[in-house]
Amino acid sequence: MERAASISDVMRMRMEGDVAGLCRATGSENRGAAVYATAMLGSAERTPEVVSTLRLCLTREGESIPGLQWHALASLGRLRVERAVPLLLNAMAESDHDRLQLDKVACEALLTIGGPEVVRGLVDLCERLPSGRGYWTVRVLDALAALRAPEAVTPLLATLWGYLPDRAVRVVRTLGAIGDPRAASALLVLAHSPASDTHLRRAAVQALYALPAAAWPPPHPHPAAERLLHAPQRDPDPETTRLATALLARTEDGRAHLWDVLRGAADSPGAECPPHAVAAVCAHIAAEPGLFAVPDSDEHHTLLAHHLREAAAPAVRRAAARALAASAGAGAAGALVAALGDTHIGDTVAELVAALPGPVLSELVLSELVDLFTCPGGSVARRRGVARVLGLAGRTDAAPALLAALADDTTPVAVRASAADALGALRHAAAAPLLAALATQEEQPGTLRAHAVRALGSIGVPDTLPVVLACARSPHEAVRGRAVVALGAFPVPEAARVLGEFVTPDAEPDLARAAVRALREIGAPALPVLVRLAAGADGLPEDVGHRLVEALAARPEAEATGALLGLATAPPGRRDGEAYATSGEHRLSRSAPAREAASLALVERGSARDLTPLTALLDPDNWFGAHEAAVQALLRIGTEEAYEHVLAFCFGTKHFYTWHVGALDAVAAARGVRLGP
């Protein structure tokens, strides 16, 4: 049998539960049969016969068989053979100079087995880390990180200094994953030291952040941990700054320093603290306002209001606005309303004002906001911000003022456009006639017409569809683009048909993307158009093809399934004599990404009624990447018919992979077939 065994024989043995046959087949002269018999033994019961067979595969004399040792190591790991730990550790150690590079599978097997012996063995390897090859050291360190072994902290700290300055980042990340406070002092020194490069300082702060919050601040000889974090808090790297800020915020002394950062930046802007560090402090106050609360908070609120008003960097002003709104609540209304005129942060401030408590906003609307919007002498930026607040807050009582501004040709265009946006946000149906009239008037500024069309889409009055359809053919780019988006609010075949005209290989990519998104929003009435477009999906720009597949996948109808199947099983390569694109043309290749996306979308529809499309994906000539996904979908369906299709595919495959073993295991388990006594 050993000499005659084939891969098909091995699969048959697996499905019959023939452990003895699989053990014999590992010695077959058919290399493929030997390799996959070894892989299948990883699903067997952990008997002495199986374990000894796998150990023999590791020490088999004569010419080595590619994959045999690899699968033997993997199977020993799957079986959790603790007696194999020395062999696995030896494979790890030798792989540093072994061309077979068995370190990956040996490492995975060790992680699966786990236990003190594995930890001790990996810790012993730490001494060799500074002199080891890059890929090998990564395996060892990642394994220690996954095991979260506190025994590794001391040797890793010793190794860390040997790795400085060039290769310490990986060791630092491992210490962070282990999360042992004993590493904190070394990490603080690395985070504070200007000798550490950007990546190392960031890794050190990330590792400190990963330590248990209950163990913070860690004990450290003078200076205190908070003092050592002052420099990282103003590091040039924004991520280092963000995490150092979060660490400082954990203690009272740290929070006091963060307020000092804001005071120093207010007194001497840019002198010591970069703007992104000031913004990080404000962002943390906004995220956890209760943590920074004090009995007398007036000074803090005044400080935040100062940065909102005076900071040079828009990012700082934006973060200060959020911090002030979160910490002061209703008390922030005055400062926020005053900041609505800030061109750079007006939209953010408007969102914050609209989110203020209802009573506060009602009072503002009645006494101040509408007056600010209608005041002819007010700045355009402030009037735009106020309009946005009114729309976001759902203030329908402000609709008359918004309509009046929209109809007044003497009002600045930007203000009229913001009024249109607000009316759209309010879904104020009474505004539809005026918006439709503005959208069709060629003499009106294009920007205003575009905003009017968008508002029509938000309101969605059916009678305005002809206007939106006409705007979709406008020569003005902005009007045309907003109209395509707006058509998604009209769930009728006519809108879908027009949208389909924008999804062509030569269409403007932005318009094509917007059209597909609108077709998806339309729903069932757009299905015939989506099905028609699917026939040419591979000729579309890649992301447009993917969006088209997503739109089809969102539909449960059989027509959508058929369209996806047609895409998934279409032959690859050139179509209709079309040549491959060359450098300088629209596309550089004909990779047929929609075909691949459709395959993956089909497997997500897996149910008993979808057997036919799933089995069609298993055709040997189909895109190979769909095979595994289709098999997994059939296994999830779990009927006997689905299992038969899986077996037929596995027995007929020309190229056998590890996932085939898993598929056979799943069918065998469902049928109660055991590999062992």
Side-chain angles (χ1 to χ4, degrees):
M1 181 62 180
E2 288 84 350
R3 293 183 181 277
S6 66
I7 292 179
S8 294
D9 292 328
V10 169
M11 286 191 282
R12 177 183 53 77
M13 292 172 186
R14 170 64 187 93
M15 296 312 300
E16 293 175 356
D18 184 0
V19 178
L22 289 175
C23 288
R24 291 194 302 271
T26 60
S28 171
E29 292 183 356
N30 182 313
R31 296 187 175 190
V35 168
Y36 287 105
T38 306
M40 289 177 184
L41 285 177
S43 307
E45 295 292 327
R46 193 174 57 197
T47 63
E49 178 188 13
V50 170
V51 174
S52 63
T53 298
L54 292 173
R55 291 170 66 95
L56 184 62
C57 291
L58 291 176
T59 57
R60 183 169 172 178
E61 295 181 359
E63 182 182 358
S64 63
I65 299 177
L68 189 68
Q69 291 178 292
W70 197 98
H71 284 290
L73 291 171
S75 292
L76 288 168
R78 290 175 62 194
L79 294 175
R80 291 181 168 82
V81 181
E82 295 181 1
R83 288 187 294 128
V85 169
L87 282 173
L88 294 166
L89 288 168
N90 186 58
M92 281 282 292
E94 290 183 352
S95 68
D96 188 20
H97 304 287
D98 190 348
R99 64 182 178 83
L100 294 179
Q101 297 183 6
L102 297 174
D103 58 308
K104 182 178 186 294
V105 65
C107 184
E108 291 172 350
L110 288 167
L111 289 175
T112 302
I113 296 171
E117 186 179 2
V118 171
V119 172
R120 286 194 298 271
L122 290 171
V123 168
D124 289 343
L125 292 177
C126 287
E127 296 179 358
R128 294 177 49 182
L129 291 179
S131 60
R133 295 182 183 178
Y135 70 85
W136 183 81
T137 60
V138 167
R139 302 282 187 222
V140 176
L141 291 171
D142 285 354
L144 290 170
L147 291 168
R148 298 176 63 87
E151 301 93 327
V153 172
T154 299
L156 282 176
L157 287 173
T159 301
L160 176 61
W161 309 119
Y163 259 63
L164 289 171
D166 299 325
R167 298 193 294 165
V169 170
R170 180 69 65 169
V171 179
V172 168
R173 289 174 180 168
T174 302
L175 289 168
I178 294 172
D180 193 307
R182 288 177 295 164
S185 290
L187 295 173
L188 282 166
V189 171
L190 290 175
H192 174 79
S193 173
S196 302
D197 67 15
T198 299
H199 299 292
L200 183 56
R201 288 196 303 272
R202 182 196 303 155
V205 176
Q206 287 173 330
L208 288 166
Y209 187 76
L211 295 177
W216 192 266
H220 186 271
H222 182 79
E226 289 89 349
R227 291 290 301 276
L228 291 174
L229 287 172
H230 290 183
Q233 199 281 324
R234 55 179 184 270
D235 194 90
D237 176 59
E239 179 63 8
T240 302
T241 293
R242 183 185 70 83
L243 293 174
T245 300
L247 289 170
L248 285 165
R250 290 179 178 178
T251 66
E252 185 175 353
D253 287 347
R255 291 190 292 274
H257 172 71
L258 295 179
W259 285 115
D260 285 341
V261 168
L262 295 185
R263 292 188 189 95
D267 295 338
S268 303
E272 293 185 2
C273 200
H276 71 268
V278 180
V281 176
C282 293
H284 206 80
I285 295 171
E288 297 188 74
L291 195 62
F292 290 83
V294 294
D296 185 8
S297 57
D298 288 347
E299 185 223 346
H300 291 169
H301 295 165
T302 300
L303 187 58
L304 291 171
H306 172 85
H307 283 291
L308 168 61
R309 185 177 60 253
E310 303 293 342
V316 174
R317 301 200 301 274
R318 187 178 294 108
R322 290 177 175 141
L324 184 61
S327 58
L336 291 174
V337 170
L340 284 171
D342 189 323
T343 304
H344 296 285
I345 67 169
D347 287 349
T348 298
V349 173
E351 294 170 4
L352 295 171
V353 174
L356 289 173
V360 176
L361 193 59
S362 296
E363 182 178 347
L364 285 171
V365 169
L366 293 175
S367 65
E368 185 174 354
L369 288 181
V370 172
D371 289 342
L372 285 174
F373 177 72
T374 56
C375 178
S379 73
V380 170
R382 177 172 287 112
R383 296 176 72 182
R384 289 182 65 250
V386 171
R388 182 170 173 79
V389 171
L390 296 172
L392 291 173
R395 300 304 311 203
T396 55
D397 51 353
L402 294 169
L403 279 167
L406 182 62
D408 187 356
D409 288 341
T410 64
T411 300
V413 171
V415 176
R416 298 175 73 193
S418 65
D421 290 342
L423 290 165
L426 293 172
R427 289 179 168 78
H428 192 62
L434 176 57
L435 291 167
L438 290 173
T440 55
Q441 292 175 9
E442 295 288 343
E443 65 274 13
Q444 293 289 345
T447 300
L448 177 59
R449 294 177 59 213
H451 282 262
V453 173
R454 181 168 69 177
L456 288 173
S458 299
I459 297 170
V461 174
D463 291 345
T464 60
L465 175 59
V467 172
V468 180
L469 289 172
C471 290
R473 295 183 172 87
S474 170
H476 193 284
E477 182 179 354
V479 174
R480 188 169 62 252
R482 297 294 175 81
V484 167
V485 174
L487 284 173
F490 298 90
V492 295
E494 186 178 5
R497 179 181 57 78
V498 172
L499 286 170
E501 298 173 4
F502 292 95
V503 188
T504 65
D506 299 324
E508 301 171 54
D510 287 342
L511 277 181
R513 284 189 285 268
V516 174
R517 184 167 56 248
L519 285 166
R520 180 172 180 173
E521 292 172 359
I522 285 175
L527 183 57
V529 175
L530 291 172
V531 170
R532 175 176 57 79
L533 292 173
D538 277 336
L540 300 172
E542 183 169 328
D543 60 336
V544 178
H546 275 254
R547 291 169 190 257
L548 179 58
V549 169
E550 291 170 0
L552 283 165
R555 301 305 313 164
E557 294 87 352
E559 295 89 340
T561 302
L564 289 171
L565 180 59
L567 264 176
T569 58
R574 302 169 182 168
R575 297 186 179 186
D576 302 326
E578 180 182 351
Y580 285 86
T582 57
S583 179
E585 294 184 5
H586 183 59
R587 297 182 66 182
L588 297 181
S589 69
R590 299 283 305 141
S591 60
R595 179 173 178 244
E596 301 170 8
S599 301
L600 299 178
L602 268 178
V603 302
E604 295 299 322
R605 303 167 83 85
S607 66
R609 69 176 184 174
D610 296 315
L611 280 178
T612 299
L614 289 175
T615 55
L617 292 178
L618 297 178
D619 187 289
D621 295 327
N622 195 29
W623 172 57
F624 75 93
H627 292 165
E628 181 180 1
V631 165
Q632 296 303 321
L634 288 167
L635 292 174
R636 288 196 300 270
I637 291 173
T639 63
E640 191 60 30
E641 182 182 2
Y643 291 148
E644 286 298 327
H645 284 295
V646 171
L647 292 177
F649 171 74
C650 289
F651 274 83
T653 189
K654 297 178 181 178
H655 303 284
F656 204 70
Y657 298 101
T658 304
W659 63 266
H660 291 87
V661 177
L664 294 174
D665 286 345
V667 176
R671 292 180 172 180
V673 178
R674 293 167 55 87
L675 268 180

